[in-house]
Amino acid sequence: MASTVGNIKHAAERQAMSVMLDGLVKHLDGKNEEERNATYLKIVDLAGRFFGKAAPEEKLAPVRAAITEPDNPNHRWISMINHILDHTDPHVAKMTLLNLGYEAFLNGTKTIRANREKYNCNIPWLILFDPTQACNMHCVGCWSGTYGHKSNLTFEDMDSLHDDRR
């Protein structure tokens, strides 16, 4: 019963976030950098209220600085977000924000914190898993296509990596 309630709650939160992101993407369309930065600062304020004690001012201040200070090394992330908004289909931008922003960051972070406490261990935010290095796309900056087609994991090897029966 608890998991059913949890699933319904998650679906409702995701839908609410989806509607909000639709509005956000439309709101930011065509805005200049100053107008976008003002919106980003409002989002940081909302995130601070949402996370409460888990987001103290000393953690939010560097985010605000990244938004407002063009010379800040982390301002490149704001530039990247603006580039994505300017050059990506609005639905793709929204789904990226929904999956990375809501699922990975908001929902995932809550789950990680709860499990760190429950299991008394560090749980990473992200685990990178490459089942094969046999990519033929040759993306700029990617290492995967440079190793040839001999470095592959079998299904059994991949399955054993997350098998909790071991």
Side-chain angles (χ1 to χ4, degrees), residues 26-118:
K26 287 176 185 164
H27 171 75
L28 292 174
D29 186 37
K31 301 286 191 212
N32 64 36
E33 185 175 353
E34 187 177 318
E35 293 168 318
R36 285 181 174 181
N37 287 350
T39 300
Y40 298 150
L41 290 171
K42 288 177 186 175
I43 292 170
V44 172
D45 291 341
L46 287 170
R49 282 188 248 146
F50 178 80
F51 282 110
K53 292 178 186 174
E57 183 53 36
E58 63 266 13
K59 288 187 178 184
L60 296 177
V63 177
R64 287 189 185 92
I67 294 168
T68 58
E69 299 169 11
D71 294 336
N72 186 306
N74 289 317
H75 188 74
R76 68 182 184 269
W77 294 107
I78 303 304
S79 297
M80 183 184 74
I81 291 168
N82 286 333
H83 182 82
I84 290 169
L85 289 169
D86 290 338
H87 300 284
T88 305
D89 178 271
H91 178 72
V92 173
K94 173 201 153 184
M95 293 310 292
T96 300
L97 289 168
L98 186 61
N99 288 320
L100 287 176
Y102 172 70
E103 292 295 353
F105 183 69
L106 294 177
N107 192 48
T109 301
K110 276 195 283 186
T111 303
I112 287 169
R113 283 191 184 123
N115 283 331
R116 282 177 181 163
E117 222 172 273
K118 180 178 179 180

Side-chain angles (χ1 to χ4, degrees), residues 142-162:
C142 183
W143 65 90
S144 192
T146 62
Y147 294 110
H149 299 281
K150 299 193 189 301
S151 300
N152 298 314
L153 293 173
T154 66
F155 177 78
E156 290 76 22
D157 289 337
M158 288 185 281
D159 191 47
S160 72
L161 291 173
H162 66 83

